[in-house]
Amino acid sequence: MLLSEFDFPFDSSLIASKPVEPRDQARLLVVDRGAGRFFHRRVLDLPSLLKPGDLVVVNDTKVMAARLNGRKQPGGRQVDVLFVKDLGGGIWEVLLKGRFQPGDAIELTSQTRAVIVERGESRTTVRVESPRPFQEVMREIGRMPLPPYIKREPTAEDRTWYQTLFARQEGAVAAPTAGLHFTDRLLASLREHGVMLATVTLHVGPATFRPVTVERIEDHSMGAEWIEVSVETAELLRRTKAAGGRVVAVGTTVVRALESAADPNGTVRPFRGETELFIVPGYRFRAVDILMTNFHLPRTTLLMLVSAFAGVERMRAAYQEAINERYRLYSYGDAMLIR
């Protein structure tokens, strides 16, 4: 398929700069694949849209306060560094702009600095030198890595807003945004309706947001992200399917985690490691029955995955419906449920 086929309807005035409060009052566009119809609900209505015995699967990754300001040494120029991945031994993969070469240092605090180890087109790594654990430094002085389409600086509120209720495993540089809508009262309502909950981990990294620049989307290289599907979650999935329940993936990251861990027959096995799974139209889904997701930017791998699940033209129509109805878009925006 061609990249231009994913130029979906878009209105920049609808990009949300903060979430609704309470979170479960976000709007929910229900896409009924069987009937080919759209319904307008709220996220709090989710339990009534599911059935007893269904299993909701969420991503428990935790967003790091991974964006730090520093000064390049020598020179003293101010730079912005996004710490992407802990490679162990004090080495981190980072994203930063400007001219750097191995040996250059970025002063983060009076006692903490990052020294360039590798600077290439595909990757930059640094060695962090600090008398304190760097995660402590990051939590103390780092900022939440809001996506660039949110045209403001991160605030103290974003440390709560840009974190899901399920956040446990620190390691992401972006939130699994569909999970941002969940509240304690929504979880209680799901339980009352006989809907179960399970977790997986996918640490959202640059691979998810890497721009697609090739004409044929099949030529795009997804890049690796770390996932974990536990023994307990795999067993819950097995029991759900055996009893005729449906698997509801909350977000594209959950889809990629479950589909990466599924065997050809659709059985999800315990898995711990990296995935480079790139889901595009034509993909045969093995594990996921229903998808809850936020709205995504045109020409992105996220939009391609959602289109693979629901069909390109159906999704194009759904996005036009959302624009017409003035849904709020992207990370802090509204959601859709594709069933």
Side-chain angles (χ1 to χ4, degrees):
M1 296 188 69
L2 299 179
L3 181 60
S4 59
E5 296 179 62
F6 297 92
D7 283 326
F8 275 30
F10 168 71
D11 183 341
S12 61
S13 71
L14 297 177
I15 298 175
S17 62
K18 63 181 182 179
V20 298
E21 293 288 352
R23 297 187 188 195
D24 56 24
Q25 282 300 301
R27 298 170 72 188
L28 184 68
L29 176 62
V30 181
V31 180
D32 190 322
R33 291 182 290 176
R37 298 173 60 192
F38 304 130
F39 303 92
H40 301 282
R41 299 289 188 267
R42 298 281 174 180
V43 170
L44 190 59
D45 298 324
L46 180 62
S48 67
L49 299 167
L50 303 178
K51 298 176 181 178
D54 286 346
L55 178 65
V56 169
V57 186
V58 298
N59 186 356
D60 67 1
T61 190
K62 187 173 185 178
V63 183
M64 302 179 291
R67 192 173 295 281
L68 278 72
N69 286 328
R71 293 194 175 277
K72 181 181 178 182
Q73 303 298 335
R77 178 173 62 86
Q78 187 168 346
V79 294
D80 185 71
V81 188
L82 180 64
F83 286 81
V84 171
K85 185 177 181 181
D86 184 356
L87 302 177
I91 304 299
W92 281 75
E93 182 178 348
V94 302
L95 295 177
L96 75 165
K97 296 179 180 179
R99 284 189 164 186
F100 291 88
Q101 59 185 6
D104 288 347
I106 301 168
E107 185 180 273
L108 302 170
T109 73
S110 60
Q111 294 184 305
T112 302
R113 66 178 196 158
V115 180
I116 305 295
V117 174
E118 174 188 6
R119 178 64 163 168
E121 289 185 7
S122 60
R123 190 168 84 154
T124 298
T125 61
V126 300
R127 182 180 66 256
V128 176
E129 299 176 351
S130 176
R132 299 168 55 200
F134 183 57
Q135 284 82 357
E136 290 183 9
V137 176
M138 188 183 294
R139 293 183 196 118
E140 188 175 292
I141 67 170
R143 294 169 292 137
M144 294 301 275
L146 297 183
Y149 51 73
I150 295 180
K151 304 297 185 182
R152 62 171 176 78
E153 284 297 307
T155 65
E157 288 85 357
D158 289 302
R159 285 181 174 253
T160 300
W161 289 346
Y162 202 56
Q163 209 73 271
T164 73
L165 193 66
F166 317 105
R168 298 290 183 273
Q169 311 292 335
E170 197 169 49
V173 294
T177 55
L180 294 177
H181 302 291
F182 283 73
T183 61
D184 287 327
R185 70 171 175 175
L186 176 55
L187 292 180
S189 182
L190 287 167
R191 286 194 296 268
E192 290 172 5
H193 280 74
V195 176
M196 301 173 289
L197 184 76
T199 62
V200 297
T201 305
L202 184 147
H203 289 321
V204 191
T208 290
F209 304 102
R210 181 177 296 162
V212 180
T213 58
V214 292
E215 183 177 1
R216 291 179 66 256
I217 64 171
E218 293 83 0
D219 295 333
H220 175 70
S221 177
M222 186 70 193
E225 290 174 313
W226 191 89
I227 65 172
E228 180 174 4
V229 179
S230 68
V231 173
E232 294 78 12
T233 290
E235 177 59 18
L236 262 176
L237 287 157
R238 185 195 66 78
R239 284 165 29 203
T240 297
K241 291 282 192 177
R246 300 171 299 177
V247 173
V248 183
V250 178
T252 58
T253 60
V254 172
V255 174
R256 290 185 63 232
L258 294 180
E259 294 293 325
S260 296
D263 67 20
N265 296 320
T267 301
V268 174
R269 309 288 185 183
F271 183 89
R272 181 184 174 94
E274 291 189 329
T275 181
E276 296 186 45
L277 179 63
F278 180 28
I279 296 177
V280 298
Y283 177 84
R284 184 177 69 85
F285 288 85
R286 300 172 291 182
V288 176
D289 303 302
I290 297 174
L291 171 60
M292 179 178 172
T293 182
N294 277 27
F295 296 93
H296 305 292
L297 284 164
R299 294 186 168 224
T300 57
T301 61
L302 305 167
L303 188 56
M304 293 165 192
L305 184 153
V306 174
S307 297
F309 190 77
V312 176
E313 292 310 313
R314 184 180 288 114
M315 273 299 93
R316 191 186 308 279
Y319 270 61
Q320 188 62 64
E321 178 81 2
I323 297 297
N324 293 345
E325 295 294 326
R326 307 298 291 173
Y327 273 64
R328 301 165 73 250
L329 303 181
Y330 309 148
S331 292
Y332 281 154
D334 296 316
M336 68 168 65
L337 183 74
I338 307 169
R339 60 179 190 175

